Amino acid sequence: QQPVQSPQAVILREGEDAVINCSSSKALYSVHWYRQKHGEAPVFLMILLKGGEQKGHDKISASFNEKKQQSSLYLTASQLSYSGTYFCGTESGGSNYKLTFGKGTLLTVNP
Amino acid sequence: DVKVTQSSRYLVKRTGEKVFLECVQDMDHENMFWYRQDPGLGLRLIYFSYDVKMKEKGDIPEGYSVSREKKERFSLILESASTNQTSMYLCASSSGGAGEQYFGPGTRLTVT
């Protein structure tokens, strides 16, 4: 079953912040985040492993709450280059590294 | 630089044809994956392989098969293409463990 991402779409002005959520009904081993720009392949952003760690990548960070089976991606002081579709991919234990992706969140950053 | 290449960017086939989509990676990755991407549905896993000659069904394997005879190459086969298999097909690879997946550029397949 695909994880649920929210919101489905968000429009920002440059410099604003956004949060994208990813929620699963299964116990999770890890959560991956990817960004796909229009007409391009998805590109890896970060992995969060079981243990409640938080990771950062420039002004993009994420958290993973394994008890709630949820992850959130935080984009601060958004830039035009952040525009794209963001996908979370979840890995459940014993899945042989198989990821199940959400349907994506379309982020548009306007000047 | 990791590179995942796919045999075609665009492909047009007729209903009932056998279709081969090829994927090659150059990083000696153990794991390889085939996804299809449809508007509003995200990325859905068709099949994956974690070793040569090993394969596992993903979430939507019906109508597809795969072949992995060499570590660097993973093929997706549509035995008898149907119009509902018109989609963007993405191949990806990753090293062992919960590693990041590297995606190819995709093949947009149209079945008429």
Side-chain angles (χ1 to χ4, degrees), chain B residues 2 19 21 23 25 57 68 71 84-85 98:
Chain B
V2 176
V19 182
L21 302 183
C23 176
Q25 51 94 2
K57 292 180 180 179
R68 193 169 181 198
K71 193 174 185 180
N84 63 12
Q85 292 178 310

Side-chain angles (χ1 to χ4, degrees), chain A residues 16-53:
Chain A
E16 291 182 335
D17 302 339
V19 180
I20 300 171
N21 300 301
C22 176
S23 179
S24 175
S25 59
K26 294 184 175 183
L28 300 178
Y29 180 79
S30 71
V31 178
H32 298 218
W33 285 96
Y34 289 77
R35 176 172 63 206
Q36 183 178 32
K37 294 182 182 267
H38 184 68
E40 299 180 9
V43 173
F44 169 79
L45 291 176
M46 64 189 77
I47 294 174
L48 298 109
L49 302 177
K50 197 165 89 167
E53 66 175 296

